[in-house]
Amino acid sequence: NAGVTQTPKFQVLKTGQSMTLQCAQDMNHEYMSWYRQDPGMGLRLIHYSVGAGITDQGEVPNGYNVSRSTTEDFPLRLLSAAPSQTSVYFCASSYFGQGLYTGELFFGEGSRLTVL
Amino acid sequence: AQSVAQPEDQVNVAEGNPLTVKCTYSVSGNPYLFWYVQYPNRGLQFLLKYITGDNLVKGSYGFEAEFNKSQTSFHLKKPSALVSDSALYFCAVSSNTGNQFYFGTGTSLTVIP
């Protein structure tokens, strides 16, 4: 099983450039989310989705956009990258819904982004 | 608002000794609590969770955690540490709706041979 797949694994951007981090899962999970991991800060939730067509903001949504057109995919877009967005980004998914909520998040391997 | 705190950035323990990684929580309502482990350059992996029921929760790789409501704690424990347990450990709590997860800042565990 592939689980949660993130691409790219590494990316270097210049300030002001845009890019999309891709996330795909093959477990038919309703819930998908994006986190950023920074030293001493732990993981902070950027955006999440509880199903296709439904997205919502987390703790640190500014500078990021998401969409959920299918159950499998949840891309994260940086419209105008800033050095403060240098971080490691993780996508995570979970079962969600009455009778199926387990709370266990399945994480991708991460995408390391550097903004110069 | 939901939050967790991990008071120790670093924990060192000798191989074969018991280990404890501390976590305290602050929630409104019933807490859903989790422990995850992260190995270098990898994503987080689920270890165990407390939703309801028995206060002692057993998880993967011989880890267990004790939910203590009076002390608002959810410490991770293992009776005998292995060098391979060296990793970064995160405590987490979910919101009552389950829509958002809040992670601690992480504790780096080093098991010394």
Side-chain angles (χ1 to χ4, degrees):
Chain A
N1 290 337
V4 179
T5 302
Q6 290 182 233
T7 56
K9 293 189 185 304
F10 301 94
Q11 183 72 49
V12 179
L13 290 178
K14 294 181 180 179
T15 298
Q17 287 184 319
S18 63
M19 78 157 300
T20 299
L21 298 177
Q22 301 290 345
C23 176
Q25 53 90 10
D26 61 358
M27 297 172 282
N28 202 32
H29 285 168
E30 298 90 346
Y31 181 89
M32 296 186 74
S33 55
W34 277 102
Y35 291 84
R36 58 177 291 173
Q37 183 179 21
D38 301 293
M41 304 286 289
L43 277 75
R44 293 180 291 169
L45 180 64
I46 304 172
H47 285 284
Y48 65 94
S49 168
V50 298
I54 306 169
T55 63
D56 207 344
Q57 297 180 349
E59 294 178 78
V60 289
N62 292 341
Y64 307 96
N65 281 352
V66 292
S67 60
R68 184 93 179 271
S69 57
T70 67
T71 299
E72 294 77 21
D73 300 299
F74 191 46
L76 178 71
R77 297 182 184 85
L78 285 71
L79 298 179
S80 179
S84 61
Q85 294 178 303
T86 294
S87 186
V88 181
Y89 292 84
F90 287 99
C91 180
S93 69
S94 177
Y95 289 112
F96 188 84
Q98 188 173 9
L100 291 176
Y101 176 69
T102 67
E104 176 184 346
L105 289 171
F106 292 79
F107 282 83
E109 295 287 286
S111 298
R112 185 175 296 274
L113 175 66
T114 301
V115 183
L116 303 175
Chain B
Q2 324 289 70
S3 67
V4 292
Q6 294 180 244
E8 300 162 318
D9 292 334
Q10 174 80 39
V11 170
N12 298 324
V13 63
E15 185 177 23
N17 282 3
L19 69 87
T20 298
V21 183
K22 295 180 181 178
C23 173
T24 59
Y25 65 88
S26 174
V27 302
S28 55
N30 294 322
Y32 289 4
L33 296 160
F34 306 85
W35 276 101
Y36 287 83
V37 60
Q38 184 181 30
Y39 297 102
N41 300 314
R42 303 294 299 275
L44 279 69
Q45 298 176 31
F46 170 80
L47 276 180
L48 52 79
K49 67 184 177 186
Y50 173 83
I51 303 294
T52 186
D54 196 349
N55 289 345
L56 185 63
V57 179
K58 295 188 182 297
S60 306
Y61 313 120
F63 284 94
E64 58 189 27
E66 185 170 10
F67 171 68
N68 188 316
K69 188 172 183 178
S70 63
Q71 297 185 3
T72 62
S73 66
F74 189 57
H75 300 332
L76 181 71
K77 299 181 180 183
K78 188 174 182 182
S80 179
L82 301 173
V83 172
S84 57
D85 293 330
S86 299
L88 190 56
Y89 291 82
F90 288 96
C91 182
V93 63
S94 74
S95 62
N96 291 338
T97 58
N99 288 348
Q100 302 196 44
F101 291 79
Y102 300 91
F103 285 82
T105 52
T107 298
S108 179
L109 173 69
T110 301
V111 180
I112 303 164

